[in-house]
Amino acid sequence: MADIYLLAGLTLPQGVAPESLPATVTRFMADCWPGMSRTQMIARAKRRGLCLSFRATAPCPSGETGVFELRFNDGAVGCLMLARLQRVGGRSGKRRQTRRTEVSRPPPRDPRQTRLF
């Protein structure tokens, strides 16, 4: 089984203003939390009508945090973001887990929170 990647942080490339992002991407970013898996990010992007792709900027050894390019496309507009993802070793095919795996849940939201930007 492939390694698991967990979100450590999101950022915009240098010179890109938060106001220039499409509204769907801004809402997607507000839905993300530290510890979210790459699979969860892709599923949330699909629910918002976004096509999301990841590309590593440099090789990332297991257990380390690497920088990945996130490319969003909603059919009309595309944009680029940077994400720090921690690479966690996955399960081997021989040792399958018999119990239910723990899924990363979003943290409780404070209603007083403002938007991400």
Side-chain angles (χ1 to χ4, degrees):
M1 184 174 179
D3 285 342
I4 299 168
Y5 291 88
L6 302 177
L7 180 65
L10 290 169
T11 187
L12 292 172
Q14 194 172 29
V16 176
E19 298 82 25
S20 67
L21 294 176
T24 53
V25 174
T26 304
R27 286 192 303 268
F28 169 79
M29 287 178 59
D31 286 346
C32 293
W33 65 88
M36 181 181 208
S37 73
R38 182 176 68 161
T39 306
Q40 289 173 318
M41 291 176 71
I42 292 171
R44 285 193 183 251
K46 281 184 181 178
R47 276 188 246 139
R48 294 220 176 262
L50 296 168
C51 181
L52 176 63
S53 66
F54 291 85
R55 184 170 53 172
T57 57
C60 176
S62 187
E64 298 290 322
T65 301
V67 178
F68 289 75
E69 289 182 351
L70 270 67
R71 295 194 180 272
F72 294 93
N73 191 343
D74 65 357
V77 179
C79 67
L80 171 73
M81 292 187 60
L82 299 175
R84 291 189 146 311
L85 298 176
Q86 180 182 10
R87 183 177 177 186
V88 180
R91 300 176 310 199
S92 67
K94 297 176 187 172
R95 283 186 324 154
R96 295 223 171 155
Q97 226 173 355
T98 57
R99 63 184 176 153
R100 187 174 174 199
T101 56
E102 289 295 319
V103 177
S104 176
R105 302 276 184 215
R109 299 280 181 170
D110 184 349
R112 298 171 293 170
Q113 276 183 328
T114 58
R115 293 180 47 205
L116 184 60
F117 296 111

